[in-house]
């Protein structure tokens, strides 16, 4: 089987499973449709990744003529696409297995499983496609699926609001994203990715800079980067398996993947790289502070995802495409592990609030050990995968900050300083979660305890009662994901072949300077939290933030800023338009209609068929004419 045929089949299988699930999901158990299709797609992507090597395989079919620029339904399979596809299908398969137990009593499970399959197919289309318009189709299908999946429990206000917010905010970024695609296609005279990259001049060009800058809108929206980061924490209102799929390995990573896919164009646009570096640095620090302040486990992980995505975009900004992709793959594994582990803990504890957890290492031992590995990888503890992938990003930043390579040094310094500070904050909130959830006194939620407003019923169950031991289908995916969480980082030593090392800085092994700096940051962050915990185990170590904690807990009131700068002016403009329409335009129209009505009423009175009135009028007219003639003579 050819590589492109296998890739196309891997895309088609989840799409067919989605179709069958929507049509027959109520008559056939959804798990019997979704899981076999996901397993087959996973096997195919692994076969493609194992056989692609350093080759690039392409095939394309011209669709209906669209004018000067043709749209082709084609695939472009290389090492980057092959490895990313394996990540997508493995996580999607584990999510489907996990969801079969997690949502087994949910009346809408059949539509949920079908949407997860459709989402998987859309992400695989984004990964494998060789045409920018087809990529846009997969990009938008993912957005629609995320809208429905986040709002799965639509009967709750939190889920409805979160789904709408996610859809609207990401679409704000998709508008310049679409324009950027058109700019690049117009400059290259083609929508095919191969042709666009081949048309990029060695020294860059205006159309390249304009197109890549516009693409950053879509990157910021999908990957929740500043200034479009606020939708991701609220999206935790969706079921936990959705968080693991969308917010760890697939949709949110699509922005970073797109930049890596079009990387020669971005390398030729230095202004774009500087903007990307500023965006990444601001996102890293702000999201890490917000994660440290959160009081809910899933929101901690959500803000953590925002920060780790910023590591990827930061690596891309400093010329380290291989480092960014390495972190994308490693993060997809350990963050999916953390989200699915959070679902197990919520099932056991009956709440997602950190204040309602404690001592869970005894009640959920498998979740304890696997999540310990996940949190260690997140914090960058050697030898877990996150240590190697973060070191690769920091090494690329150090290389660029030293004036090496073609990327401006200012981008390297921004990412390096922000990355080290974020490493300390990440170690702090990872340690805080580990201590509060697994250690200390066991906290049993009191009957009638309040569930956080952003939680949904499926995630938190009945307040005051834990769910007992988690089913095996929820536990074994954690064990599977723990394997790459622990071992994947060792690929850094031989490097990740097939990623295209000629694109910028391609060194993935840790360097002494960044390793020592990162370990010092790790020790400072974790040590500060441990010291605060030992002084008062009953208190929240997040108090070390001091006055910053309140704003950080609210995400630095970015939503309020949007309300002041965008929502309020739009509402005032709408009220002014409504007033103008009602008080001015409607008054004019109604006045004209009233005048016509009055004039018509007056004329109607003279045309009522009364002969006496007609003769009186005739006589009056004769008298007036006679007087006029008399006066005139």
């Amino acid at each position: 089987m050819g590589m492109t045929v296998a890739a196309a089949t891997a895309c088609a299988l989840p799409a067919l499973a989605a179709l069958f699930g929507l049509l027959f999901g109520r008559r056939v158990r959804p798990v019997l449709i979704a899981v076999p299709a996901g397993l087959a797609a996973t096997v195919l992507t692994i076969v493609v990744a194992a056989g692609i090597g350093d080759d690039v395989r392409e095939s394309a079919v011209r669709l209906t003529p669209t004018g000067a620029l043709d749209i082709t339904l084609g695939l472009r399979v290389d090492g980057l696409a092959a490895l990313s596809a394996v990540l997508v299908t493995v996580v999607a398969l584990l999510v489907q297995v996990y969801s079969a137990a997690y949502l087994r009593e949910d009346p809408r499970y059949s539509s949920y499983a079908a949407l997860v399959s459709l989402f998987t197919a859309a992400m695989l289309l984004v990964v494998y496609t060789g045409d920018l318009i087809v990529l846009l189709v997969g990009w938008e299908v993912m957005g629609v699926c995320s809208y429905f999946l986040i709002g799965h429990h639509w009967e709750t206000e939190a889920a409805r609001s979160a789904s709408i917010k996610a859809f609207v905010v990401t679409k704000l970024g998709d508008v310049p994203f679409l324009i950027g695609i058109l700019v690049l296609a117009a400059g290259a005279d083609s929508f095919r990715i191969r042709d666009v990259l081949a048309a990029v001049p060695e020294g860059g060009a205006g159309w390249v800079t304009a197109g890549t800058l516009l693409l950053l809108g879509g990157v910021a929206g999908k990957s929740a980067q500043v200034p479009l980061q606020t939708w991701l924490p609220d999206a935790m209102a969706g079921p936990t398996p959705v968080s693991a799929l969308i917010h760890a390995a697939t949709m949110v990573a699509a922005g970073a993947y797109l930049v890596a896919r079009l990387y020669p164009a971005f390398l030729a646009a230095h202004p774009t790289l500087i903007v990307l570096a500023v965006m990444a640095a601001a996102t890293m620090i702000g999201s890490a502070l917000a994660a440290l302040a959160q009081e809910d486990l899933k929101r901690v992980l959500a803000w953590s995802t925002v920060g780790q995505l910023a590591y990827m975009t930061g690596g891309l900004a400093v010329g380290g495409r291989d480092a960014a992709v390495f972190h994308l793959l490693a993060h997809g594994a350990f963050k999916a592990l953390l989200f699915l582990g959070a679902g197990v803990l919520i099932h056991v504890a009956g709440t997602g609030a950190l204040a309602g957890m404690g001592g869970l290492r005894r009640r959920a031992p498998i979740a304890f050990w696997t999540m310990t590995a996940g949190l260690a990888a997140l914090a960058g503890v050697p030898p877990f995968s996150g240590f190697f992938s973060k070191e690769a990003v920091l090494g690329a930043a150090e290389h660029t900050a030293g004036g090496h390579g073609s990327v401006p040094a200012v981008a390297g310094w921004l990412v390096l300083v922000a990355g080290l500070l974020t490493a300390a904050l990440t170690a702090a909130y990872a340690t805080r979660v580990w201590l509060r959830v697994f250690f200390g006194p066991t906290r049993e939620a009191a009957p009638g305890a309040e569930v956080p407003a952003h939680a949904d019923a499926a995630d938190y169950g009945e307040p005051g009662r834990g769910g007992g031991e988690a089913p095996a289908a929820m536990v074994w995916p954690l064990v599977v994901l723990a394997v790459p969480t622990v071992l994947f980082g060792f690929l850094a030593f031989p490097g990740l072949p097939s990623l295209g090392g000629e694109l910028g800085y391609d060194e993935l092994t840790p360097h002494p300077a960044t390793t020592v700096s990162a370990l010092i940051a790790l020790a400072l962050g974790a040590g500060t939290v441990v010291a605060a915990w030992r002084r008062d185990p009953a208190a929240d170590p997040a108090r070390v933030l001091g006055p910053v904690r309140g704003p950080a807990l609210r995400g630095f009131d970015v939503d309020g800023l949007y309300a002041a700068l965008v929502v309020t002016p739009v509402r005032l403009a709408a009220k002014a338009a409504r007033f103008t329409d009602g008080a001015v335009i409607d008054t004019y129209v109604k006045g004209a209609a009233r005048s016509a009505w009055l004039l018509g009423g007056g004329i109607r009175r003279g045309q009522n068929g009364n002969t006496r009135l007609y003769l009186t009028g005739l006589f009056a007219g004769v008298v007036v004419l006679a007087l006029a003639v008399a006066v005139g003579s």
Side-chain angles (χ1 to χ4, degrees):
M1 179 183 293
M3 293 299 168
T4 55
V5 174
T9 307
C11 292
L13 286 174
L16 291 174
L19 178 62
F20 279 103
L22 291 174
L23 294 177
F24 308 110
R26 295 190 178 274
R27 285 180 255 175
V28 182
R29 291 184 62 189
V31 67
L32 298 179
I33 300 174
V35 172
L39 179 60
T42 301
V43 172
L44 287 172
T45 57
I46 292 174
V47 169
V48 171
I52 194 65
D54 294 326
D55 296 337
V56 178
R57 305 288 180 86
E58 285 197 63
S59 64
V61 177
R62 181 170 172 263
L63 296 179
T64 302
T66 54
L69 302 180
D70 290 332
I71 298 175
T72 57
L73 183 59
L75 299 179
R76 177 183 171 88
V77 182
D78 55 11
L80 170 64
L83 290 174
S84 301
V86 171
L87 173 67
V88 171
T89 52
V90 168
V91 173
L93 174 62
L94 294 176
V95 165
Q96 290 281 24
V97 173
Y98 185 100
S99 301
Y102 194 83
L103 298 173
R104 62 185 180 277
E105 298 178 0
D106 193 301
R108 294 189 291 274
Y109 172 60
S110 59
S111 62
Y112 165 90
L115 285 169
V116 170
S117 295
L118 181 59
F119 186 96
T120 305
M123 184 63 194
L124 286 175
L125 186 63
V126 169
V127 167
Y128 280 139
T129 187
D131 189 277
L132 290 175
I133 292 296
V134 178
L135 184 147
L136 179 66
V137 171
W139 188 277
E140 296 303 334
V141 171
M142 280 197 297
V144 173
C145 290
S146 70
Y147 168 78
F148 286 114
L149 290 170
I150 294 170
H152 179 74
H153 296 290
W154 50 261
E155 62 273 11
T156 65
E157 174 61 28
R160 292 195 301 270
S161 299
S163 61
I164 293 172
K165 183 176 182 180
F167 187 81
V168 171
V169 172
T170 54
K171 290 300 157 287
L172 286 176
D174 287 350
V175 173
F177 181 77
L178 171 60
I179 300 173
I181 287 177
L182 298 177
V183 169
L184 290 179
D189 201 27
S190 174
F191 283 112
R192 294 190 67 175
I193 293 175
R194 179 190 65 185
D195 297 338
V196 171
L197 299 182
V200 175
E202 185 174 346
W207 62 271
V208 177
T209 301
T212 52
L213 278 172
L214 288 165
L215 289 180
L216 290 186
V219 172
K222 276 290 190 285
S223 294
Q225 302 292 284
V226 169
L228 301 178
Q229 78 280 14
T230 60
W231 68 270
L232 186 58
D234 289 349
M236 296 302 103
T240 295
V242 169
S243 302
L245 178 67
I246 296 178
H247 309 130
T250 53
M251 189 179 84
V252 294
Y257 176 83
L258 173 78
V259 178
R261 190 66 149 163
L262 300 175
Y263 204 52
F266 281 84
L267 276 181
H270 287 179
T272 303
L273 294 179
I274 293 175
V275 171
L276 188 62
V278 171
M279 185 171 71
T283 306
M284 279 186 206
I285 298 172
S287 61
L289 289 170
L292 182 56
Q294 297 305 304
E295 299 172 351
D296 177 82
L297 177 57
K298 284 179 64 177
R299 289 182 73 86
V300 173
L301 298 178
W303 279 112
S304 168
T305 298
V306 175
Q308 298 308 304
L309 291 167
Y311 264 106
M312 301 172 204
T313 56
L316 293 165
V318 297
R321 188 190 80 149
D322 287 5
V325 173
F326 185 28
H327 193 54
L328 185 154
L329 299 172
H331 173 264
F334 69 71
K335 187 54 65 67
L337 165 62
L338 290 173
F339 270 116
L340 295 182
V344 172
L345 297 178
I346 290 167
H347 177 86
V348 173
T351 178
L354 294 177
M357 296 182 178
L360 291 181
R361 69 185 187 280
R362 296 187 182 91
R363 297 171 61 189
I366 296 179
F368 166 64
W369 288 110
T370 54
M371 286 196 69
T372 297
L375 290 169
L378 174 63
V381 176
F384 296 93
S385 60
F387 165 75
F388 292 102
S389 59
K390 284 186 179 181
E391 287 302 304
V393 172
L394 294 175
E398 179 196 28
H399 178 82
T400 298
H404 307 291
S406 61
V407 180
V410 63
W413 281 111
L414 281 170
V415 174
L416 181 61
V417 173
L420 290 173
L421 180 57
T422 303
L425 294 169
T426 303
Y429 66 71
T431 305
R432 171 179 174 252
V433 166
W434 190 64
L435 292 173
R436 296 202 72 193
V437 170
F438 296 113
F439 294 88
T442 301
R443 300 176 176 92
E444 298 290 349
E450 181 181 354
V451 178
H454 57 271
D456 62 43
D459 281 340
Y460 293 96
E462 182 180 350
R465 289 171 51 191
E469 291 296 329
M474 292 174 59
V475 173
W476 286 109
L478 307 185
V479 178
V480 174
L481 288 169
V483 175
T485 297
V486 176
L487 300 178
F488 185 70
F490 289 101
L491 289 176
F493 289 107
L496 283 176
S498 310
L499 286 182
E502 73 279 0
L503 300 176
Y505 181 76
D506 62 350
E507 181 63 55
L508 298 179
T509 55
H511 286 190
T514 52
T515 298
V516 171
S517 301
L519 291 177
I520 292 173
L522 168 67
L524 287 175
T528 301
V529 169
V530 170
W533 172 266
R534 286 187 172 180
R535 283 196 299 270
D536 187 0
D540 190 345
R543 66 184 185 276
V544 299
L545 287 175
V548 178
R549 185 181 182 185
L553 180 62
R554 300 187 299 271
F556 297 98
D557 298 309
V558 174
D559 283 331
L561 180 63
Y562 288 160
L565 296 180
V566 180
V567 178
T568 299
V570 169
R571 286 181 174 174
L572 290 175
K575 289 181 179 179
R578 183 177 179 182
F579 173 79
T580 303
D581 184 60
V584 179
I585 297 177
D586 282 359
T587 300
Y588 172 79
V589 173
K590 290 177 181 178
R594 181 68 177 173
S595 300
W597 185 83
L598 291 174
L599 180 61
I603 296 173
R604 179 179 59 83
R605 291 181 182 276
Q607 302 294 327
N608 59 4
N610 190 327
T611 305
R612 183 181 298 176
L613 179 62
Y614 294 165
L615 292 174
T616 304
L618 178 61
F619 178 74
V622 171
V623 171
V624 170
L625 288 174
L627 289 173
V629 171
V631 172
S633 60

